[in-house]
Amino acid sequence: MRLVVLGATGSIGRQTLEVAKALGIRVVGISVHTRVDAALKIAREFGIEVVAVTGLECVKPTALENVKLVTGERTVEQLVKLTAPDTVVVAVPGIAGLDAVLQAYPYVRRLCLANKESVVVGGRYLKRLLRDAGVEVLPVDSEHSAVLQLLEAARPVKVILTASGGALRDLSLEELENATVSQVLAHPNWQMGAKVTVDSATMVNKGLELFEAMWFFNLAPHQVDAAICRDSFVHAAVVFEDGVVKFHAGFPDMRVPIAYALTKPDRRWKGRVPELVGRSITFEPVPFDRYPAFALAKEILRERDTLKVGYCVADEVAVDAFLKGKIRFGEIYRMIEKVVESVEAADLDSWEEIEEALEATQRISKDVMRRWK
Ligand code: NDP
Ligand code: MG
């Protein structure tokens, strides 16, 4: 297998490289956003020929031999054209993931998607593109990988994703409002990039994952939900008509779903096997007062497409503002709500419509941000 990893210096990116090494998969190219030095270190370690730098217009010529640096326009497309991979892992955060997918997909057979914003924003349009191109798309997100492994020929009645509750699950509602960046970034079960860790604390992440589950498995809004499983031992449950519920369980370790996405239908990763005796499994409902952004996502599931784009874009702008100390934690939700309220409801079927919706919601989000307080 020839593998390209987009976002190779991130949490998923690094774990993908580790899995590739353990399974003897050849990594032929990587992308990073700005951290060129870290990228060159990886290139040296893995004997990678091409490195794409997506966030810099130009990079000083490197002293490193045998590594080609790609920058400027459509860097991801240049990278996949030069390296001819059969599999690409998209581990780029946020809405930028959509652009990465759009540049990469015509050149690959299998796309392993860690990024969720790309499917929320790309929606039906993206699905059509990938289907017409004959690209196999597999989820890396642990819950969705679990669902994929649980599904069978029979249609499920319901798919339930689990949520840890994030770093702030035991704070009082008052403390929640003013939670600090370092409190938010201390996730109990997973080591992840900053955006997705903040999204876990607000549970915007689980909201996006409901959309993601509908996208991957062709489910209707009433067929997807979430429950809290504090230790993330169960990743998802699938309910069938005969009353059977199948769970996918195991220690939380992203290398497992990454390896499954890379090697499906094989199961080649050697993981730690849990002792089941003495272990209890508990699911709790998601409290809407604590996670209003999740409640909002559930409402939007039934709405027109532009509202989902608004939700995604507003979250990205609000999380960035929170991480920079410009707004309080509690304000992330209120900003998203304000933006979503202002978005004109419409469905999105073409790239032009998606682009327009992205521009409009970015404009609204920046406006809301400017006039905040
Ligand atoms: P990180 O923030 O750890 O890593 C981001 C990677 O992408 C880095 O290589 C970074 O490069 C690069 N990058 C950053 N910004 C951009 C941009 N605008 N355009 C292109 N590349 C960029 O993120 P994670 O690995 O945690 O998450 C990646 C994706 O996977 C997200 O969509 C997340 O929701 C999803 N995911 C993550 C999980 C996890 O356990 N981490 C679990 C499930 C899903 P540089 O180092 O140069 O900045
Ligand atoms: Mg997940």
Side-chain angles (χ1 to χ4, degrees):
M1 186 199 296
R2 293 172 65 81
L3 176 66
V4 160
V5 184
L6 304 178
T9 38
S11 157
I12 294 289
R14 277 183 281 108
Q15 293 181 86
T16 304
L17 293 171
E18 190 188 334
V19 168
K21 191 178 221 172
L23 300 183
I25 293 170
R26 176 144 174 249
V27 184
V28 291
I30 55 171
S31 86
V32 298
H33 202 47
T34 54
R35 288 194 289 159
V36 181
D37 290 347
L40 290 179
K41 211 166 145 217
I42 295 170
R44 209 175 297 131
E45 188 186 338
F46 284 80
I48 291 166
E49 297 137 29
V50 192
V51 170
V53 183
T54 53
L56 301 173
E57 276 308 303
C58 59
V59 179
K60 273 186 272 164
T62 160
L64 204 73
E65 285 172 21
N66 305 328
V67 177
K68 186 173 168 47
L69 274 185
V70 183
T71 55
E73 293 282 299
R74 296 189 70 81
T75 26
V76 170
E77 183 177 11
Q78 293 184 54
L79 171 70
V80 286
K81 269 184 160 171
L82 283 167
T83 51
D86 37 79
T87 303
V88 170
V89 172
V90 184
V92 165
I95 295 166
L98 178 58
D99 192 38
V101 171
L102 291 174
Q103 289 188 43
Y105 88 88
Y107 304 92
V108 299
R109 282 210 296 272
R110 180 178 284 199
L111 209 52
C112 304
L113 265 189
N115 178 279
K116 49 199 90 179
E117 290 86 346
S118 55
V119 307
V120 176
V121 175
R124 273 191 305 286
Y125 165 78
L126 180 62
K127 204 158 177 168
R128 205 166 52 230
L129 277 190
L130 297 174
R131 193 197 49 219
D132 292 351
V135 179
E136 185 186 18
V137 200
L138 294 175
V140 168
D141 214 347
S142 54
E143 298 81 357
H144 304 75
S145 174
V147 175
L148 179 70
Q149 294 170 56
L150 291 171
L151 282 176
E152 49 185 51
R155 293 290 298 157
V157 174
K158 198 154 197 145
V159 164
I160 297 160
L161 311 179
T162 59
S164 64
L168 311 177
R169 61 193 182 189
D170 295 320
L171 261 53
S172 71
L173 291 181
E174 293 70 45
E175 288 168 328
L176 206 53
E177 173 65 27
N178 294 306
T180 63
V181 171
S182 59
Q183 274 176 311
V184 172
L185 292 185
H187 194 282
N189 303 342
W190 304 97
Q191 281 286 328
M192 309 183 288
K195 159 87 171 32
V196 62
T197 309
V198 179
D199 284 348
S200 287
T202 55
M203 263 211 205
V204 162
N205 182 52
K206 214 45 62 179
L208 296 176
E209 289 187 357
L210 294 182
F211 299 125
E212 191 186 5
M214 286 168 60
W215 191 90
F216 267 108
F217 308 113
N218 299 316
L219 300 167
H222 70 274
Q223 289 176 296
V224 293
D225 209 346
I228 292 186
C229 176
R230 291 176 72 92
D231 59 3
S232 302
F233 185 68
V234 174
H235 312 127
V238 174
V239 183
F240 294 95
E241 217 162 21
D242 57 2
V244 168
V245 184
K246 294 209 275 184
F247 290 160
H248 182 287
F251 292 119
D253 180 345
M254 283 310 295
R255 293 171 305 176
V256 177
I258 290 170
Y260 188 71
L262 292 175
T263 65
K264 177 184 177 277
D266 297 334
R267 200 179 276 282
R268 287 175 48 202
W269 182 252
K270 304 269 177 294
R272 190 156 68 98
V273 178
E275 174 60 68
L276 292 181
V277 174
R279 180 178 275 282
S280 55
I281 292 176
T282 310
F283 299 113
E284 298 164 41
V286 179
F288 283 180
D289 56 344
R290 179 170 281 277
Y291 301 106
F294 177 75
L296 178 61
K298 286 197 71 165
E299 277 175 42
I300 296 176
L301 284 184
R302 293 175 166 76
E303 301 285 343
R304 317 277 289 270
D305 298 336
T306 44
L307 272 68
K308 302 179 181 85
V309 176
Y311 185 85
C312 242
V313 169
D315 175 59
E316 195 153 296
V317 172
V319 168
D320 183 59
F322 169 69
L323 289 171
K324 289 181 175 145
K326 292 186 191 157
I327 61 170
R328 289 195 303 274
F329 179 76
E331 290 174 303
I332 298 176
Y333 164 68
R334 292 198 289 280
M335 262 198 68
I336 298 174
E337 187 190 32
K338 183 102 195 139
V339 172
V340 167
E341 274 170 10
S342 321
V343 171
E344 203 178 312
D347 279 338
L348 302 169
D349 283 302
S350 67
W351 175 243
E352 289 68 36
E353 288 169 345
I354 293 175
E355 224 175 6
E356 236 172 72
L358 277 171
E359 275 166 24
T361 48
Q362 263 147 9
R363 206 172 40 242
I364 297 170
S365 302
K366 281 184 191 142
D367 245 32
V368 167
M369 190 66 212
R370 221 181 357 257
R371 284 187 274 121
W372 200 247
K373 284 179 195 143

